[in-house]
Each structure stands twice: as structure tokens, then as C-alpha cells.
Amino acid sequence: MAKIYVTCRVFADEIERLRDAGHDVTMRAEEGPISRDELLHHIGDADALICLLSDRINAQVIAAAPNLRIIANLGVGYDNIDVPAARARGIVVTNTPGALTETTADLTFALLLSAARRIMEADEYVRAGKFLGWELLQEHLGQDVFGKTLGIVGMGRIGTAVARRGHFGFGMSVLYHNRHRNTEAETELGARQVSFKELLERSDFVCVHAPFTEETRHLFDKDAFRLMKDSAILVNVARGPIVDEAALVWALESGEIAGAGLDVYEREPKISPGLLKLKERVVLAPHIGSATVETRRELARIAVDNVLFVLAGRSPLTPVT
Ligand code: DGY
């Protein structure tokens, strides 16, 4: 029997699968992020950990877990885990690639459309009883999406799924910036690989899907925003620190860009007061990229399978390599 610690609430039937296999599972029932002390307390005798992208699994946590065999992250990104430190101890790290691709691409488009068509502002207007009838020059004139240029920064699974929606659904021209060429997207969608600078200069909508690394930290700074069209909308569903949030507030306030759809923040869950004040063409979501019942269930299923496999001495399904 192994000890498994789960840092967040997970679907009961998935937890049952761990218990049915004879394991001793402790699932944290409280909402909100786990504190460092609480994590260090529970990790001490754990053989397996199921955690969230908001749980910082650093070298200190790993050192405090002498029995740990697997860290199963509920999500595709794993920048919250010190993977080299885990690897040095022979601890397997797993994520959930693929499971949230389409869901996150859907949310990207939801944010893009909401910012472009000013849905949040329009909703507020209607609820405030201000809608007095159709007018040609009515408030909340937005901008077209169909036929525009879509710039994708990070053309992996999610970036490509967003590009597909843009190409097939909205007749958009797709530009992308990525370390590697994505020939499949080029053939299927006519996507064109361009420099970061060209992407910023030519895109009407810029969507961020790159992983967060030291290289991508503050990729979007004042200089980047200066290069973007003043009518452009930025959508970030990847990781907050890829965008310098202070620079983004500056860019929105000064009209360097027109709007933003954000699901992630630089100091999550804290959000710059400057950003919260901006409502025109700015849509803010609380990191809900993968937040559908189907997808969250799938994340839990994959994480649980990975734990069961590793504890049974088998290879995990989706190791971080
Ligand atoms: C992930 O899995 O990395 C996403 O950010 C979750 O929404």
C-alpha cells in the first residue's frame, strides 16, 4: 500500500480508483492554494503526489519527500515543478498533454471574440437597463474577426488548434512564431512561420501559446507592444509571466494596442489593479483554459492512471521528458 497525497479536490470516482487499488489517499479538501508548510507536512511520507500548476514543487519540497516516486501534475504546463531536481532523485514527473488542447483553444477564441466584439461591456450595458434600441452608431462597436490576420506565438498542440479555428472557422490568415517549423500547419492551414517582429507588426490578433521558460519571460514588453498594431488584440491563455503585466497596462492605456483577453496573470492569482480598472475591450478570466467538466475529468483520469502505473512498477502514460 502506497501513500498518495492530493493537493486539491478531485472527482470522487477517480480517488476511489486509487483506493480500490489498495492505496492510502489523503485529499486536501480546502479551497485555495496549499501553503508551503501544509505541503511540506504532507509530503513527508508520500509515495505519490497529485498536484496543480499553482503548487510550487521545488527542490525543497522534493528533498522533504524521501519516499516520493511520482509527481503527477494536473495540467499540461509543468513550470511549477523543478523537473531536474525530481529527475536527480529518480522521481517520475507526469503531465496531461493533449487532454486540454481543444478546450483551451475554444477558450482562446472565446476571449478573442469577447474582446473584439466587446461582449462583456455589452452584457453590462444590457443588465444596467441602458439598451434603448438598435442604432447605427451604437455603443460598443467592435471589430471584425473574419478574414483578419491571426498571429500565434507558440505553434504546438494548442497553438495549432487555435490556428485551425481561425483558418477554417473565420477565414483568417495565420502567421506563427515558433522555435521549430510546423510543416503540418503550413500544409493544412497555409500558416506561415515569421519572426516575432513580423508577427507583431502584421497580426490583428496575437495569441500566446508558448511554454513559460526563462527565454519567454516578459517576451511581451513595451517594445513588443510598440510593434503591434494599435487595433490589435492580445490573447494570453498560456502563462502570465510571458507578458509584462505593467507594460500591458501601459500599452492598453496609451492605445499601443486595442484590447486583451487574458486567462493567466503575471502574479496569479493577484492581478494588477491597473488591469482590473480597464474594461474597454479587456476580458479577464480566472485561468479557466481547461475548465470544462469533460476536460477536467480527463486530466484527473490521466493523473490517476499515471500514479497507478508508476506505483505498480510500470511506465507512466505521459511522462515529462
Ligand atoms: C495547463 O494545463 O497548463 C493549463 O494552464 C491549465 O488550464
Side-chain angles (χ1 to χ4, degrees):
M1 178 184 77
K3 281 189 178 294
I4 302 168
Y5 186 62
V6 187
T7 64
C8 61
R9 290 171 302 143
V10 167
F11 300 94
D13 50 347
E14 291 300 334
I15 296 297
E16 270 330 293
R17 287 209 295 134
L18 296 169
R19 293 198 172 118
D20 288 348
H23 300 303
D24 174 4
V25 186
T26 304
M27 180 174 75
R28 183 170 180 267
E30 291 82 23
E31 278 182 49
I34 189 168
S35 73
R36 175 109 321 221
D37 287 349
E38 193 182 348
L39 182 57
L40 288 172
H41 172 73
H42 286 286
I43 200 79
D45 60 355
D47 300 284
L49 175 69
I50 297 181
C51 58
L52 298 175
L53 49 100
S54 46
D55 302 328
R56 207 126 284 291
I57 314 300
N58 61 11
Q60 185 198 15
V61 174
I62 290 167
N67 304 334
L68 201 60
R69 290 161 62 189
I70 172 167
I71 302 169
N73 217 31
L74 289 159
V76 65
Y78 49 86
D79 46 287
N80 57 312
I81 301 172
D82 187 335
V83 177
R87 216 169 262 152
R89 279 266 318 282
I91 299 168
V92 174
V93 178
T94 62
N95 65 344
T96 61
L100 46 76
T101 303
E102 302 301 338
T103 313
T104 307
D106 283 349
L107 186 83
T108 306
F109 250 87
L111 292 173
L112 187 157
L113 288 167
S114 300
R117 298 300 306 270
R118 307 178 63 181
I119 304 290
M120 306 309 290
E121 298 156 67
D123 178 88
E124 206 172 300
Y125 183 84
V126 170
R127 289 174 198 280
K130 293 183 185 167
F131 179 45
L132 303 178
W134 197 92
E135 278 182 283
L136 188 68
L137 294 181
Q138 71 187 100
E139 279 199 50
H140 313 121
L141 291 184
Q143 62 191 80
D144 280 340
V145 174
F146 191 87
K148 294 285 183 76
T149 299
L150 176 64
I152 310 267
V153 177
M155 194 69 154
R157 285 192 194 86
I158 299 173
T160 306
V162 170
R164 236 175 240 131
R165 282 158 176 73
H167 174 78
F168 291 118
F170 294 86
M172 298 173 99
S173 311
V174 179
L175 302 178
Y176 74 95
H177 177 69
N178 198 48
R179 268 177 307 176
H180 310 291
R181 247 184 104 177
N182 186 332
T183 45
E184 224 179 294
E186 290 183 13
T187 313
E188 186 192 350
L189 315 170
R192 225 162 52 71
Q193 186 178 25
V194 293
S195 68
F196 185 52
K197 180 170 179 288
E198 184 177 344
L199 182 138
L200 297 178
E201 285 170 346
R202 299 196 37 212
S203 300
D204 298 301
F205 300 94
V206 175
C207 296
V208 188
H209 300 291
F212 172 53
T213 62
E214 273 319 303
E215 224 175 291
T216 59
R217 180 188 293 280
H218 285 190
L219 184 63
F220 286 82
D221 56 9
K222 279 192 175 180
D223 290 340
F225 292 124
R226 275 192 198 100
L227 289 171
M228 286 171 70
K229 294 183 181 183
D230 55 14
S231 57
I233 287 175
L234 175 81
V235 179
N236 186 11
V237 299
R239 285 293 180 266
I242 298 174
V243 175
D244 175 345
E245 210 163 284
L248 174 62
V249 172
W250 166 83
L252 289 164
E253 277 174 346
S254 59
E256 287 291 335
I257 68 169
L262 305 172
D263 189 40
V264 290
Y265 306 91
E266 190 172 353
R267 280 167 286 274
E268 219 169 291
K270 291 202 179 93
I271 302 178
S272 314
L275 200 50
L276 290 171
K277 267 194 250 148
L278 293 169
K279 289 200 166 167
E280 208 173 297
R281 295 183 172 86
V282 176
V283 184
L284 309 177
H287 205 146
I288 54 169
S290 65
T292 64
V293 176
E294 299 92 328
T295 296
R296 289 285 167 91
R297 275 201 159 279
E298 187 61 4
L299 301 193
R301 190 192 64 76
I302 295 171
V304 165
D305 276 351
N306 279 324
V307 167
L308 289 172
F309 276 43
V310 169
L311 292 179
R314 296 168 63 187
S315 300
L317 296 171
T318 52
V320 164
T321 48

